[in-house]
Amino acid sequence: SAVISQKPSRDICQRGTSLTIQCQVDSQVTMMFWYRQQPGQSLTLIATANQGSEATYESGFVIDKFPISRPNLTFSTLTVSNMSPEDSSIYLCSVVGGGLAGYTDTQYFGPGTRLTVL
Amino acid sequence: GNSVTQMEGPVTLSEEAFLTINCTYTATGYPSLFWYVQYPGEGLQLLLKATKADDKGSNKGFEATYRKETTSFHLEKGSVQVSDSAVYFCALSDGGSNYKLTFGKGTLLTVNP
């Protein structure tokens, strides 16, 4: 499986500011995703990060609030903009496919970024 | 649309007890089914998966069988350990080219010595 890292692992931010989270994979992957896990809740897909083009957002999530970049097949960023306390969550990236292991439909997750907004 | 219904928690067991966490799904086509585990303070780890009917996924003593006739993928372990304490998520991927995962709400398992 791919080795996935996220930066930062956690942060405490002030209301109205923005935070950019990085996701790095050790091999080229077909797809990358960003999820949100609110306290005590399950995971909700925010968007699919598309290499070289705009991300595909799920219902309820918009680019102005969660801009996403994916400049290549191993790296993506998620920005949480104009934060409020309701944005306090764990943000996780995940990847599918590619790599020396060959084609697979299994998603592997990064360790997550724990965000607290005051 | 797709959906996953998981047994509500929390579940509290004594060490060496038998574990079952129920999971049923609704999906079109032929989904792949997964169990993920989240240990305290950590991200999600893939526990096991099954990609077609009657497949059995297994890992670390956990098992789950893909039952198309009952649209279920129940997680079982014969003898739990304290180290199994975690949140368990059932999920499905609809097998299309988008690979999106639909998650259940998660079940918190606590195993006491």
Side-chain angles (χ1 to χ4, degrees):
Chain A
S1 63
V3 176
I4 307 165
S5 60
Q6 282 186 236
K7 290 183 183 179
S9 59
R10 59 177 63 232
D11 207 342
I12 300 173
C13 300
Q14 296 298 317
R15 180 195 299 262
T17 63
S18 298
L19 176 72
T20 295
I21 302 167
Q22 299 179 3
C23 179
Q24 178 75 56
V25 193
D26 69 342
S27 61
Q28 294 183 348
V29 292
T30 305
M31 304 191 75
M32 298 181 78
F33 303 91
W34 286 98
Y35 288 83
R36 180 175 73 182
Q37 185 180 22
Q38 294 176 300
Q41 303 297 312
S42 187
L43 281 78
T44 302
L45 180 63
I46 297 172
T48 303
N50 299 310
Q51 194 262 327
S53 63
E54 191 172 290
T56 305
Y57 290 84
E58 298 299 304
S59 176
F61 297 96
V62 295
I63 188 171
D64 290 346
K65 176 67 176 177
F66 297 102
I68 288 170
S69 77
R70 189 180 172 195
N72 56 51
L73 294 176
T74 64
F75 184 78
S76 178
T77 66
L78 167 75
T79 299
V80 186
S81 303
N82 188 24
M83 289 184 285
S84 67
E86 292 71 34
D87 294 319
S88 298
S89 295
I90 300 173
Y91 292 86
L92 300 104
C93 69
S94 71
V95 305
V96 174
L100 296 176
Y103 179 85
T104 173
D105 69 346
T106 300
Q107 278 193 38
Y108 295 95
F109 285 80
T113 296
R114 188 178 296 270
L115 171 62
T116 302
V117 184
L118 304 178
Chain B
N2 297 337
S3 67
V4 176
T5 303
Q6 247 182 275
M7 175 175 154
E8 294 268 342
V11 174
T12 303
L13 296 173
S14 298
E15 205 164 22
E16 299 184 1
F18 183 84
L19 168 71
T20 299
I21 301 177
N22 290 338
C23 172
T24 57
Y25 67 89
T26 302
T28 56
Y30 303 95
S32 294
L33 301 174
F34 306 85
W35 278 100
Y36 285 87
V37 58
Q38 186 175 37
Y39 297 103
E42 300 186 11
L44 264 71
Q45 299 178 23
L46 177 67
L47 181 59
L48 54 84
K49 71 173 188 178
T51 57
K52 61 183 187 295
D54 299 325
D55 268 3
K56 177 184 285 188
S58 62
N59 186 25
K60 300 181 180 179
F62 291 89
E63 293 183 339
T65 301
Y66 188 143
R67 300 286 189 200
K68 189 170 175 61
E69 64 275 14
T70 55
T71 62
S72 65
F73 193 55
H74 304 321
L75 183 68
E76 297 182 336
K77 186 174 185 181
S79 176
V80 294
Q81 306 299 312
V82 172
S83 57
D84 294 326
S85 298
V87 180
Y88 292 83
F89 293 95
C90 184
L92 71 82
S93 171
D94 66 8
S97 58
N98 59 28
Y99 302 108
K100 294 180 184 178
L101 282 176
T102 301
F103 283 89
K105 292 187 176 183
T107 302
L108 172 63
L109 169 67
T110 302
V111 181
N112 295 318

